[in-house]
Amino acid sequence: MARMLIFLFCTSLLISLKAASQLSYRANGDTAVKKNSLQILPQNFYIKNLGFVCKKEFQLQKLISIPVFFRLGTKEYVDRLERKPNSFVGRRE
């Protein structure tokens, strides 16, 4: 009879400890906070991020209203460097 009482006492103690630990447990969820924000670019974003020569080229085009381009090399070479779709890859002979 004493063994039965000790067994019931230990079992009830284990069950109560398990229940108490489950009550105090909180699910933390995802620790990485994801913020999806859409940032709208200003209207002059493209012009502000151009290089020096490109800015001067653009200013000259606006001033004389004729497209002017400065290239360091032939048109085919520059097109190949800029990876334009119809640029010739090899040498022309």
Side-chain angles (χ1 to χ4, degrees), residues 32-38:
V33 178
K34 295 179 183 176
K35 293 184 179 180
N36 294 330
S37 62
L38 179 64

Side-chain angles (χ1 to χ4, degrees), residues 69-90 92:
F69 300 101
F70 299 106
R71 293 189 181 99
L72 300 174
T74 64
K75 182 180 182 323
E76 291 84 17
Y77 176 70
V78 173
D79 286 346
R80 188 172 72 228
L81 288 177
E82 293 175 352
R83 298 178 189 260
K84 296 212 174 162
N86 294 327
S87 64
F88 186 71
V89 178
R92 286 198 177 174

Side-chain angles (χ1 to χ4, degrees), residues 56-70:
K56 294 303 175 188
E57 211 175 63
F58 186 71
Q59 289 173 356
L60 185 61
Q61 287 177 12
K62 283 180 78 175
L63 183 67
I64 63 174
S65 66
I66 297 173
V68 177
F69 300 101
F70 299 106

